[in-house]
């Protein structure tokens, strides 16, 4: 089961990295991914908050990915405000404080992923574009990819693909924990 989780994580990361990000071109607190080292998933889930809440103030020891399905959520990372709406996602860098000051909308729904990536000894950065279906050469794995800080998907097919992949990854993650030891 872990192999399926790793494969699906890889497909999601390639899908996101391959999208053209017109909202943020250069940011502090970027997360880079050496393509020959897989993200290590710590935890993931889907949340529905019937009542408004303010995002907690914290510094995580791992990176965070949030994707909003419904509603609205404000997150501030290191003084920079991000407002997430349906179809938008945000990567928060480990070791960097993030928090909220505004209540999210009632019935906000989102996926979250807490994960580790090796950030030392980064390879040269290579921009990739596409849907992750391309055949990569061995040389392509000797590059790192800058993950988009925040982006909103507007195309219905992209939103559907992203939410299907996230739903499957969360299910596989929880199913893996149910195996007998």
């Amino acid at each position: 089961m872990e192999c399926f989780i790793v494969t699906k994580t890889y497909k999601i990361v390639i899908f996101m990295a391959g999208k053209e990000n017109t909202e943020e071109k250069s940011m502090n607190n970027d997360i880079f991914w050496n393509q020959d080292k897989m993200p290590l998933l710590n935890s993931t889930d889907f949340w529905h908050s019937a009542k408004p809440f303010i995002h907690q103030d914290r510094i995580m020891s791992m990176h965070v990915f949030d994707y909003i399905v419904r509603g609205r959520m404000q997150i501030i990372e290191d003084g920079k405000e991000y407002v997430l709406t349906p179809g938008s996602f945000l990567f928060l860098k480990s070791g960097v404080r993030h928090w909220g000051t505004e209540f999210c909308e009632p019935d906000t729904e989102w996926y979250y992923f807490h994960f580790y990536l090796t950030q030392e000894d980064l390879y040269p950065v290579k921009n990739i574009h596409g849907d992750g279906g391309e055949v990569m050469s061995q040389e392509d794995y000797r590059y790192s990819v800058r993950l988009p800080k925040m982006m909103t998907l507007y195309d219905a097919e992209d939103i559907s693909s992203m939410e299907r992949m996230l739903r499957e990854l969360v299910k596989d993650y929880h199913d893996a924990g149910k195996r007998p030891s």
Side-chain angles (χ1 to χ4, degrees):
M1 184 62 71
E2 288 85 359
C3 181
F4 293 119
I5 292 172
V6 167
T7 301
K8 286 180 181 175
T9 303
Y10 177 78
K11 286 181 181 179
I12 291 169
V13 170
I14 289 295
F15 177 85
M16 291 182 290
K19 297 295 171 190
E20 182 63 28
N21 184 0
T22 58
E23 296 172 23
E24 295 283 350
K25 286 294 184 188
S26 178
M27 286 292 306
N28 294 329
N29 302 323
D30 286 340
I31 301 172
F32 293 90
W33 168 43
N34 281 344
Q35 293 189 84
D36 66 348
K37 294 179 176 58
M38 294 306 299
L40 302 175
L41 187 59
N42 175 273
S43 61
T44 182
D45 216 334
F46 174 81
W47 280 96
H48 171 258
S49 178
K51 295 181 180 181
F53 75 96
I54 295 175
H55 194 288
Q56 65 183 334
D57 188 338
R58 63 187 179 179
I59 298 174
M60 300 285 290
S61 63
M62 63 203 82
H63 302 298
V64 178
F65 168 81
D66 287 317
Y67 175 87
I68 303 299
V69 175
R70 182 187 323 176
R72 180 183 178 279
M73 184 184 300
Q74 177 233 34
I75 300 175
I76 301 168
E77 181 187 48
D78 200 25
K80 169 86 170 123
E81 179 185 44
Y82 299 94
V83 177
L84 298 136
T85 57
S88 63
F89 61 82
L90 174 66
F91 283 99
L92 299 165
K93 189 168 185 171
S94 66
V96 178
R97 179 178 172 226
H98 65 273
W99 69 96
T101 59
E102 298 175 7
F103 284 96
C104 73
E105 291 181 358
D107 293 317
T108 294
E109 295 180 336
W110 71 100
Y111 289 95
Y112 76 84
F113 296 85
H114 298 158
F115 65 99
Y116 300 98
L117 275 177
T118 301
Q119 295 290 280
E120 62 276 353
D121 300 325
L122 286 172
Y123 300 147
V125 176
K126 180 179 182 180
N127 291 325
I128 60 171
H129 297 284
D131 62 5
E134 300 83 19
V135 175
M136 294 176 61
S137 71
Q138 188 172 5
E139 182 64 27
D140 289 331
Y141 290 96
R142 294 189 184 106
Y143 290 94
S144 66
V145 173
R146 177 188 166 273
L147 299 179
K149 188 67 181 171
M150 179 185 170
M151 190 164 37
T152 301
L153 302 175
Y154 296 102
D155 180 78
E157 188 175 319
D158 286 346
I159 292 169
S160 177
S161 294
M162 173 67 84
E163 291 179 7
R164 178 183 41 78
M165 288 187 288
L166 296 173
R167 189 171 44 255
E168 289 174 359
L169 182 56
V170 168
K171 180 187 179 309
D172 290 347
Y173 175 82
H174 288 285
D175 287 350
K178 296 176 186 174
R179 293 186 327 225
S181 31

